[in-house]
Amino acid sequence: MHSFALNRRRFLRNAATAGAGVALTSALPSRLLADTKRTLYPVKVSRERLIRTVVGLRPYRPDGFLVEAQRLGDKVLVHHYGHGGAGITLSWGSAHLALELAGPAEQRHCAVLGCGVIGLSTARLFQRRGGSVTIYAKALPPETTSNIAGGFWFPTSVYDGRTATPKFLGQFNQACQIAHRAFQLLVGPEYGVRWIETYEFLAGPEPSTTEFPGGSQLYPEMQMHRDAKRIFGRDNVRQFSTMLIEPQTYLNALLRDFYIAGGKVVVKELKSREEIAQLPEILIFNCTGLGARDLVGDQSLTPVRGQLEVLLPQPEIDYCYLGGASYMFPRRDGVILGGTFDHDVWSLEPDPDTVTGILEAHAEIMKRMKR
């Protein structure tokens, strides 16, 4: 009995000491925890490796994406558009919010307008709940704006903080959290989703993590790099993990799943509320992105032009970086270099000066990094 009591006291003492060690470790400054053994291969930035330039128009509303239901005669029209630079990122989350506005659960058939990531996500979620869907769209993957997206899970260029309401900010955070969980369940080659380390180049000291969209808990392994100057040539670099989505793979998989679940597609461009009202479905989801500006007269919806340069793939690049307007995402179809955020610019023509500017900015980033 004495031996048991002694061993028990020793066990409790050792456990307490271990617990204190864990607490001490978690209390250490984050900049002391970063892994400096990581090998970061350089991106080969050169015009000779450029395989394509793509331009897309993000559907932006200063007040944030719109999820709202209204009556259209005897129909229910649920608006679900205006995600700015976070259509893929927020898709499952805002689709969940849109379905909550869909009305009585007994409505088992719906129409979805648009076949980009927002339309497909809304359609798939409705199918998962036992309903049938017809998509009406003027373009299908790979001819949608969503196919041009970078596919990096980090919701940006979504709203203007000066005009967004507390109600919207609540929706935004909810959409972030739901979507983040949904994408975790799709990680793997089938959907083209994977976790990836990301390095954020900061202009000043470590900022508060509360600024991370949706909350810092959505960005695991967040820490300041303790050897940023030597490795990156910068004083402050923050590291975290997030997900990277390959748009071509992902959208094709969504469309495949939609068809397998019995979905139908009608290639048709709708141009007015009157044409929407003539559809046979009673429940209709408007997921037309920037097209909603003309379709339903939402003049608050404006384009944010983005131009990307795509280099030959480099399989050894297994990290992303963010630095001001510049960002790099390594995908199987090429290394994505961005970017631009040009508000109220409608042109889809690649700008030669922007090509040069993006390449030069990323070449400078590589010059500062350790080889």
Side-chain angles (χ1 to χ4, degrees):
M1 181 66 71
H2 175 73
S3 175
F4 172 81
L6 181 62
N7 290 339
R8 180 176 182 274
R9 285 196 296 272
R10 183 179 298 116
F11 170 79
L12 292 175
R13 183 172 63 252
N14 292 341
T17 302
V22 171
L24 178 61
T25 301
S26 64
L28 287 173
S30 60
R31 67 176 60 250
L32 299 181
L33 302 176
D35 180 9
T36 59
K37 298 179 181 179
R38 182 81 161 84
T39 299
L40 301 177
Y41 293 96
V43 178
K44 300 173 184 177
V45 182
S46 70
R47 192 174 291 271
E48 290 73 23
R49 295 182 60 81
L50 185 65
I51 56 176
R52 65 182 181 276
T53 295
V54 295
V55 177
L57 303 181
R58 307 173 181 96
Y60 176 77
R61 300 177 77 252
D63 292 341
F65 61 79
L66 183 66
V67 177
E68 178 181 272
Q70 62 178 219
R71 302 296 305 187
L72 185 63
D74 63 342
K75 302 180 186 298
V76 176
L77 178 61
V78 180
H79 297 297
H80 181 204
Y81 62 80
H83 294 71
I88 290 178
T89 300
L90 296 174
S91 54
W92 292 110
S94 59
H96 173 85
L97 299 178
L99 261 66
E100 287 186 334
L101 300 178
E106 62 265 17
Q107 183 58 250
R108 303 319 305 159
H109 185 69
C110 77
V112 170
L113 313 184
C115 200
V117 70
I118 299 300
L120 283 170
S121 302
T122 304
R124 285 293 297 126
L125 197 54
F126 195 84
Q127 287 178 326
R128 287 181 183 178
R129 297 184 180 185
S132 61
V133 186
T134 298
I135 290 178
Y136 297 86
K138 67 176 182 179
L140 308 180
E143 304 299 328
T144 70
T145 300
S146 300
N147 286 89
I148 303 173
F152 181 70
W153 204 98
F154 193 92
T156 59
S157 187
V158 179
Y159 61 90
D160 186 334
R162 298 169 298 182
T163 61
T165 65
K167 178 183 177 181
F168 169 75
L169 294 177
Q171 289 181 317
F172 173 72
N173 286 327
Q174 185 180 2
C176 285
Q177 292 159 17
I178 293 172
H180 192 270
R181 177 59 177 163
F183 275 109
Q184 289 184 47
L185 301 178
L186 299 177
V187 168
E190 181 181 359
Y191 291 92
V193 181
R194 72 183 189 273
W195 286 96
I196 193 163
E197 289 185 358
T198 300
Y199 298 90
E200 180 187 17
F201 306 144
L202 303 175
E206 180 179 6
S208 169
T209 56
T210 57
E211 69 186 39
F212 270 61
S216 60
Q217 74 278 6
L218 302 184
Y219 309 87
E221 298 186 319
M222 187 184 298
Q223 53 195 344
M224 292 294 289
H225 203 289
R226 69 179 179 184
D227 207 8
K229 189 69 174 180
R230 182 178 67 86
I231 295 178
F232 300 98
R234 300 170 184 274
D235 293 327
N236 296 288
V237 176
R238 180 161 55 184
Q239 175 182 334
F240 58 91
S241 293
T242 188
M243 287 172 282
L244 187 63
I245 300 105
E246 306 262 354
Q248 310 297 332
T249 301
Y250 181 66
L251 292 168
N252 285 340
L254 283 189
L255 189 56
R256 175 208 64 198
D257 292 350
F258 173 75
Y259 283 131
I260 290 174
K264 300 178 182 178
V265 173
V266 176
V267 179
K268 178 179 182 179
E269 182 179 6
L270 300 172
K271 298 182 178 180
S272 67
R273 288 177 180 269
E274 289 72 27
E275 291 187 16
I276 297 174
Q278 293 173 10
L279 295 177
E281 292 82 8
I282 300 298
L283 175 61
I284 303 168
F285 292 92
N286 173 21
C287 306
T288 54
L290 193 57
R293 179 182 171 93
D294 293 331
L295 181 61
V296 296
D298 187 346
Q299 296 303 302
S300 70
L301 192 60
T302 59
V304 175
R305 183 182 184 276
Q307 179 167 317
L308 301 175
E309 309 307 322
V310 185
L311 304 179
L312 283 168
Q314 282 185 251
E316 72 274 18
I317 304 298
D318 57 355
Y319 64 94
C320 297
Y321 63 71
L322 311 171
S326 299
Y327 50 85
M328 183 279 295
F329 312 144
R331 300 192 326 214
R332 287 186 298 177
D333 62 323
V335 177
I336 309 300
L337 303 182
T340 62
F341 295 86
D342 302 322
H343 287 260
D344 298 315
V345 178
W346 288 89
S347 174
L348 286 170
E349 289 299 316
D351 177 56
D353 291 338
T354 300
V355 175
T356 299
I358 290 176
L359 292 176
E360 289 180 349
H362 288 274
E364 182 62 29
I365 290 172
M366 288 299 104
K367 286 179 183 179
R368 298 178 65 171
M369 287 181 62
K370 174 190 174 182
R371 292 295 186 269

